[in-house]
Structure formats: C-alpha cells, structure tokens
Amino acid sequence: MELITTISELRRRLAAQRRDGRTIAVVPTMGALHEGHLSLVDAARGEADLVVLTIFVNPLQFGPSEDLARYPRNLERDAGMAAARGVDIIFAPAVEELYGTGTEVRVVAGETATRWEGAVRPGHFDGVLTVVAKLFNIVQPDVACFGRKDIQQATLIAGMVAELDFPVRLVLVPTVRDHDGLALSSRNAYLSVDQRRAALAIPRSLRAARERWRSGATGAESIRQAVAAVLESEALLVTDYIAVVSPRRMEPVETVDGSTVVAVAAKVGTTRLIDNITLEEGSN
Ligand code: AMP
C-alpha cells in the first residue's frame, strides 16, 4: 500500500494504472477508520481492480461551532487498518494541498440540502459536495463507495453525479453497527460510558419505528411518535429531528411503505449522532 499526499503524485500513479487497464474505486473518508469504513473498502475491492481510500478532514463541511479541531486524527493507525484490508493507495492531502488554489468556487447543494442535516448545519452539504467533486476530479474513479449511514449525504451525492454528469458509478453500502446496535461512527469516540448507553436509544428508536410499521401502521405521524417515545425516554439525549421521508429526496411523507427512510439526529452531551433505517429490513 502506498501513502500519497500530493495531487500530482496521485495523478501520476493512477494514470499508470489506468494505462494498464485497471479500474479504480474510491472510498472518501475523514479517517479515524472503523469497521464501517472498512466495509466500504470491501465493497470497493469487489467493484474495481484498485482501491483508493481518501482521508481528509474537510474544513469546508464543518460549521464554526462544530468539532473540526477535535475531530479524531490518527493517520498511522488508519494506514495499518487500510493496508490490512487491501487498500492499494491512501490519498491523505493536507488542507493546503487540496484548497491551496482557493475556495471561491463551491458546488451548491439544492433543495434536498435544506432539510434535516442541512437545516441544522448550514453550508455543510455545499462543503461535502465540493470536496467530493474535487476528489472525483483528482481520482477520476470508475466507482465510488459511500455509506447509507449518511443517507442524506448519499442522496445528495447521487443527485450531483446525475445532474453534473460525473462519469462515476456509485455504490451505497449498508450501515455497520456495533454488537449493541449503535451505528459505528468516528464520533462515538467522544462518548463516555453513560453517554454511550444513552446513545443506544437511537437505534432502539429506529427498531421501534420498524416494529410499529410491521404491526400495521402506515401513517408517518404514528411512526414518528414511536421514535419520539423512545428518544424522549432517555434523559441524556436531545433530539434534533426525526425524519420520516422518501428515499430519493428526503421529503417528508404522510403514508409510509417499505422504502420509507426513518432518520434521526440527536445530541448526547456535545456529541451529535445520526442514524437511519429503511422500514423494510434488508432494503438498506
Ligand atoms: P466519514 O469518515 O464519517 O466522513 O465517513 C466516510 C464514509 O464512511 C461515508 O460514506 C459514510 O457514510 C461511511 N460510513 C460511516 N460510518 C459508517 C457505518 N457505520 N457503516 C457504513 N458506512 C459508514
């Protein structure tokens, strides 16, 4: 495995691979790797000859009061995990390498970004789409893998790829959970033991939504209430939103079906966690 930090060097390496007829998959991450990221790597390996894992904590997608400074960074540990899982190249540029030419031009996310995460984190998705567009232009991958854990992000990236005609195929990977049900996240590292116990109400609330649907409920409000009841029973949690939405544009629905997505964001202390499920098990 190679660790590359400059755009020019990465381009040189990838051009040679492409000339030899190899296909390329990219897995964009912010590092602090866990099994969720590694399942994207597994998916990428099944889709292309060469796997490029990018590690970049993107300042453009953090708000002024967010956790940019304290976001966990450990390149050495990440490199070991990536190598063991079969990553061919890690691209880990410094901020100046990626944004040295300026940050005047952005990809502006559309209406889908005004809801949910976008409403709570203004400008977040413009930052995400801008860095993903840059990474697509730098790597020029055949395939790019993203997690369903960040469902609104995945939806917006799919929209960008379609609307701006990026020649890349997207693969969405199911959420990897810890044995207790908590979705793996680099931010779980911030949680104390009590906070982690409280955070388990998030996956529990999503399971309650699925149970409510299975027992015959079709009204979105009934599903939302099932989620809210579980979240509210946990004193250490502060709910940001409960979204019962269509999968394509994250629009609120009135009546649910198996494809409906239930997404939750909540704070435990200063740590903000998100999670979601599709009501029909197996379809996420
Ligand atoms: P991040 O490093 O948090 O920006 O995440 C990088 C990629 O990993 C994104 O496509 C995420 O959706 C994906 N990801 C994060 N957590 C998980 C998880 N628990 N299961 C599957 N994919 C994940």
Side-chain angles (χ1 to χ4, degrees), residues 27-40 53-54 56 61 71 145-151 153-154 157 171-178 182-188 275:
V27 178
T29 80
M30 299 203 298
L33 298 183
H34 52 63
E35 197 55 35
H37 299 117
L38 297 176
S39 80
L40 301 191
L53 177 84
T54 71
F56 182 65
Q61 71 188 68
Y71 197 85
C145 298
F146 293 92
R148 286 190 190 270
K149 157 83 168 29
D150 299 277
I151 185 91
Q153 168 177 290
I157 291 168
V171 172
L172 299 189
V173 179
T175 301
V176 177
R177 297 175 181 284
D178 227 328
L182 191 64
L184 295 183
S185 163
S186 305
R187 291 190 169 97
N188 292 352
D275 198 354

Coordinates of all heavy atoms in Angstrom, one line a residue, residues 27-40 53-54 56 61 71 145-151 153-154 157 171-178 182-188 275, ligand 1:
V27 N -12.9 5.5 -2.1 CA -13.7 5.5 -0.8 C -13.3 6.7 0.0 O -12.2 6.8 0.6 CB -13.3 4.2 0.1 CG1 -14.1 4.3 1.4 CG2 -13.6 2.9 -0.7
P28 N -14.1 7.8 -0.1 CA -13.8 9.0 0.6 C -14.1 8.9 2.1 O -15.2 8.5 2.4 CB -14.7 10.1 -0.1 CG -15.1 9.5 -1.4 CD -15.2 8.0 -1.1
T29 N -13.2 9.3 2.9 CA -13.4 9.3 4.4 C -12.7 10.5 5.0 O -11.9 11.2 4.4 CB -12.9 8.0 5.1 OG1 -11.5 8.2 5.3 CG2 -13.2 6.8 4.3
M30 N -13.1 10.7 6.3 CA -12.4 11.7 7.1 C -11.4 11.0 8.1 O -10.9 11.6 9.0 CB -13.3 12.6 7.9 CG -14.3 13.4 6.9 SD -15.0 14.8 7.6 CE -15.9 14.1 9.0
G31 N -11.1 9.7 7.9 CA -10.2 9.0 8.7 C -10.8 8.6 10.0 O -12.1 8.5 10.1
A32 N -10.0 8.3 11.0 CA -10.4 7.6 12.3 C -11.3 6.4 11.9 O -12.4 6.2 12.3 CB -11.3 8.6 13.1
L33 N -10.6 5.6 11.1 CA -11.3 4.4 10.5 C -11.9 3.5 11.5 O -11.4 3.2 12.6 CB -10.3 3.7 9.6 CG -9.7 4.5 8.4 CD1 -8.8 3.6 7.6 CD2 -10.8 5.1 7.6
H34 N -13.0 2.9 11.1 CA -13.7 1.9 11.9 C -14.2 0.9 10.9 O -14.1 1.0 9.6 CB -14.8 2.4 12.8 CG -15.7 3.3 12.1 ND1 -16.6 2.9 11.1 CD2 -16.0 4.6 12.2 CE1 -17.3 3.9 10.7 NE2 -17.0 5.0 11.3
E35 N -14.9 -0.2 11.4 CA -15.4 -1.3 10.5 C -16.4 -0.8 9.5 O -16.5 -1.4 8.4 CB -16.0 -2.3 11.5 CG -16.2 -3.7 10.9 CD -14.9 -4.3 10.3 OE1 -13.8 -4.1 10.8 OE2 -15.1 -5.0 9.2
G36 N -17.1 0.3 9.7 CA -18.0 0.9 8.7 C -17.2 1.3 7.5 O -17.6 1.0 6.3
H37 N -16.1 2.1 7.7 CA -15.3 2.5 6.6 C -14.7 1.3 5.9 O -14.6 1.2 4.6 CB -14.1 3.3 7.1 CG -14.5 4.6 7.8 ND1 -14.2 4.9 9.1 CD2 -15.1 5.7 7.3 CE1 -14.7 6.1 9.4 NE2 -15.2 6.6 8.4
L38 N -14.3 0.3 6.7 CA -13.7 -0.9 6.1 C -14.7 -1.7 5.3 O -14.3 -2.4 4.3 CB -13.0 -1.8 7.2 CG -11.9 -1.0 7.9 CD1 -11.3 -1.9 9.0 CD2 -10.7 -0.6 6.9
S39 N -15.9 -1.7 5.6 CA -16.9 -2.4 4.8 C -17.1 -1.7 3.4 O -17.4 -2.3 2.4 CB -18.2 -2.6 5.5 OG -19.0 -1.4 5.4
L40 N -16.8 -0.4 3.4 CA -16.8 0.3 2.1 C -15.6 -0.1 1.3 O -15.7 -0.3 0.1 CB -16.7 1.9 2.3 CG -17.8 2.6 3.1 CD1 -17.6 4.1 2.9 CD2 -19.2 2.2 2.7
L53 N -8.3 4.9 -1.0 CA -9.0 5.4 0.2 C -8.5 6.8 0.4 O -7.3 7.1 0.6 CB -8.7 4.5 1.4 CG -9.3 5.0 2.7 CD1 -10.7 4.5 2.9 CD2 -8.5 4.5 3.9
T54 N -9.4 7.8 0.5 CA -9.0 9.2 0.8 C -9.3 9.5 2.2 O -10.3 9.1 2.8 CB -9.7 10.2 -0.2 OG1 -11.1 10.3 0.2 CG2 -9.5 9.8 -1.6
F56 N -9.4 12.8 4.6 CA -9.3 14.3 4.6 C -10.4 14.8 5.5 O -11.5 14.6 5.2 CB -9.4 14.8 3.1 CG -9.2 16.3 3.1 CD1 -8.0 16.9 3.4 CD2 -10.3 17.1 2.7 CE1 -7.9 18.3 3.3 CE2 -10.2 18.5 2.6 CZ -9.0 19.1 2.9
Q61 N -16.8 21.5 5.4 CA -18.1 21.0 5.8 C -18.4 21.1 7.3 O -19.4 20.6 7.7 CB -18.2 19.5 5.3 CG -17.3 18.5 6.0 CD -17.3 17.2 5.4 OE1 -16.9 17.0 4.3 NE2 -17.9 16.2 6.0
Y71 N -11.8 16.8 15.9 CA -12.1 15.6 15.2 C -10.9 14.6 15.2 O -9.8 15.0 15.0 CB -12.5 15.9 13.7 CG -13.2 14.7 13.0 CD1 -14.6 14.6 13.2 CD2 -12.5 13.8 12.3 CE1 -15.3 13.6 12.6 CE2 -13.2 12.7 11.8 CZ -14.6 12.6 11.9 OH -15.2 11.6 11.3
C145 N -17.6 4.5 -3.4 CA -18.5 3.9 -2.4 C -18.8 4.8 -1.2 O -17.9 5.5 -0.7 CB -17.7 2.6 -1.9 SG -17.4 1.4 -3.1
F146 N -20.0 4.9 -0.9 CA -20.5 5.7 0.3 C -21.4 4.9 1.2 O -22.0 3.9 0.7 CB -21.2 6.9 -0.3 CG -20.4 7.9 -1.0 CD1 -20.3 7.8 -2.4 CD2 -19.6 8.9 -0.3 CE1 -19.4 8.7 -3.1 CE2 -18.8 9.8 -1.0 CZ -18.7 9.7 -2.4
G147 N -21.5 5.3 2.4 CA -22.3 4.6 3.4 C -23.7 5.1 3.5 O -23.9 6.3 3.4
R148 N -24.6 4.2 3.7 CA -26.0 4.6 3.9 C -26.2 5.2 5.3 O -27.2 5.8 5.6 CB -27.0 3.3 3.8 CG -27.2 2.9 2.4 CD -28.3 1.8 2.4 NE -28.3 1.2 1.0 CZ -29.0 1.7 0.0 NH1 -29.8 2.7 0.2 NH2 -29.0 1.1 -1.1
K149 N -25.2 5.0 6.1 CA -25.3 5.7 7.5 C -25.5 7.2 7.3 O -26.3 7.8 8.1 CB -23.9 5.5 8.2 CG -23.5 6.4 9.2 CD -24.1 6.1 10.5 CE -23.6 6.8 11.7 NZ -23.0 8.1 11.4
D150 N -24.9 7.8 6.3 CA -25.1 9.2 6.0 C -26.0 9.3 4.8 O -25.6 9.7 3.7 CB -23.8 9.9 5.7 CG -22.8 9.8 6.9 OD1 -23.0 10.7 7.8 OD2 -22.0 8.9 7.0
I151 N -27.3 9.0 5.0 CA -28.2 8.8 3.9 C -28.5 10.1 3.1 O -28.6 10.0 1.9 CB -29.6 8.2 4.4 CG1 -30.5 7.8 3.3 CG2 -30.3 9.1 5.4 CD1 -30.3 6.4 2.8
Q153 N -26.5 12.6 2.8 CA -25.3 12.9 2.0 C -25.2 12.0 0.8 O -24.9 12.4 -0.3 CB -24.1 12.6 2.9 CG -22.7 12.5 2.2 CD -21.6 12.3 3.2 OE1 -21.2 13.1 4.0 NE2 -21.0 11.1 3.1
A154 N -25.5 10.7 0.9 CA -25.5 9.8 -0.2 C -26.5 10.2 -1.3 O -26.2 10.2 -2.5 CB -25.8 8.3 0.3
I157 N -25.1 13.3 -3.1 CA -24.0 12.9 -4.0 C -24.6 12.3 -5.2 O -24.1 12.6 -6.3 CB -23.0 12.1 -3.2 CG1 -22.3 12.9 -2.2 CG2 -22.0 11.5 -4.2 CD1 -21.4 12.1 -1.2
V171 N -21.8 3.2 -5.4 CA -22.2 2.0 -4.7 C -22.5 2.4 -3.2 O -21.7 3.0 -2.6 CB -21.1 0.9 -4.7 CG1 -21.5 -0.2 -3.8 CG2 -20.9 0.5 -6.1
L172 N -23.7 2.2 -2.8 CA -24.1 2.5 -1.4 C -24.1 1.3 -0.5 O -24.5 0.2 -0.9 CB -25.5 3.1 -1.4 CG -25.7 4.4 -2.2 CD1 -27.1 5.0 -1.9 CD2 -24.6 5.4 -1.9
V173 N -23.4 1.4 0.6 CA -23.1 0.3 1.5 C -23.9 0.4 2.8 O -24.0 1.4 3.4 CB -21.6 0.3 1.8 CG1 -21.2 -0.9 2.7 CG2 -20.8 0.2 0.5
P174 N -24.5 -0.8 3.2 CA -25.4 -0.7 4.4 C -24.6 -0.3 5.7 O -23.4 -0.5 5.7 CB -25.8 -2.2 4.6 CG -25.6 -2.8 3.2 CD -24.5 -2.1 2.6
T175 N -25.3 0.2 6.6 CA -24.7 0.7 7.9 C -24.1 -0.5 8.7 O -24.8 -1.4 8.9 CB -25.7 1.5 8.7 OG1 -26.2 2.5 7.9 CG2 -25.2 2.0 10.0
V176 N -22.9 -0.3 9.1 CA -22.3 -1.3 10.0 C -22.5 -0.9 11.5 O -22.3 0.3 11.8 CB -20.8 -1.5 9.8 CG1 -20.2 -2.5 10.7 CG2 -20.6 -1.9 8.3
R177 N -23.0 -1.8 12.3 CA -23.4 -1.5 13.7 C -22.5 -2.2 14.7 O -22.0 -3.3 14.3 CB -24.8 -1.8 14.0 CG -25.8 -1.0 13.1 CD -27.2 -1.4 13.3 NE -28.0 -0.5 12.4 CZ -28.3 0.8 12.7 NH1 -27.9 1.3 13.8 NH2 -28.9 1.5 11.8
D178 N -22.3 -1.7 15.9 CA -21.6 -2.4 16.9 C -22.6 -3.5 17.4 O -23.7 -3.5 17.1 CB -21.3 -1.4 18.1 CG -19.9 -1.6 18.5 OD1 -19.4 -2.8 18.4 OD2 -19.2 -0.6 18.9
L182 N -25.5 0.2 18.1 CA -25.1 1.6 17.8 C -24.3 1.6 16.5 O -23.4 0.8 16.2 CB -24.2 2.1 18.9 CG -23.9 3.7 18.8 CD1 -25.1 4.5 19.0 CD2 -22.8 4.0 19.9
A183 N -24.8 2.5 15.6 CA -24.1 2.6 14.3 C -22.6 3.1 14.5 O -22.4 4.0 15.3 CB -24.8 3.6 13.4
L184 N -21.7 2.4 13.9 CA -20.3 2.9 14.0 C -20.1 4.3 13.5 O -20.6 4.6 12.4 CB -19.4 1.9 13.3 CG -19.3 0.5 13.8 CD1 -18.3 -0.4 13.1 CD2 -19.0 0.4 15.3
S185 N -19.4 5.1 14.3 CA -19.1 6.4 13.8 C -17.8 6.9 14.5 O -17.5 6.5 15.7 CB -20.2 7.4 14.3 OG -19.8 8.7 14.3
S186 N -17.0 7.6 13.8 CA -15.8 8.1 14.4 C -16.1 9.0 15.6 O -15.3 9.1 16.6 CB -15.0 9.0 13.4 OG -14.8 8.2 12.2
R187 N -17.3 9.6 15.6 CA -17.6 10.4 16.8 C -18.0 9.6 18.0 O -18.1 10.2 19.1 CB -18.8 11.4 16.4 CG -18.3 12.5 15.4 CD -19.4 13.5 15.1 NE -18.8 14.7 14.4 CZ -18.9 14.9 13.1 NH1 -19.6 14.0 12.3 NH2 -18.4 15.9 12.5
N188 N -18.3 8.3 17.9 CA -18.6 7.5 19.1 C -17.4 7.6 20.1 O -17.6 7.4 21.3 CB -18.8 6.1 18.7 CG -20.1 5.9 17.9 OD1 -20.9 6.9 17.8 ND2 -20.3 4.7 17.4
D275 N -28.4 8.6 12.6 CA -28.7 7.2 12.2 C -29.9 7.1 11.4 O -30.7 8.1 11.4 CB -28.8 6.3 13.5 CG -28.6 4.8 13.2 OD1 -28.5 4.4 12.1 OD2 -28.6 4.0 14.2
Ligands
AMP1 P1 -16.8 9.8 7.4 O1 -15.4 9.4 7.6 O2 -17.6 9.8 8.6 O3 -16.9 11.0 6.5 O4 -17.4 8.6 6.5 C1 -16.9 8.2 5.3 C2 -17.8 7.2 4.7 O5 -18.0 6.1 5.5 C3 -19.2 7.8 4.3 O6 -19.6 7.3 3.1 C4 -20.0 7.2 5.4 O7 -21.4 7.1 5.1 C5 -19.4 5.9 5.6 N1 -19.7 5.4 7.0 C6 -19.5 6.0 8.2 N2 -20.0 5.2 9.2 C7 -20.5 4.1 8.6 C8 -21.1 2.9 9.1 N3 -21.3 2.7 10.4 N4 -21.4 1.9 8.2 C9 -21.2 2.1 6.9 N5 -20.7 3.2 6.4 C10 -20.3 4.2 7.2

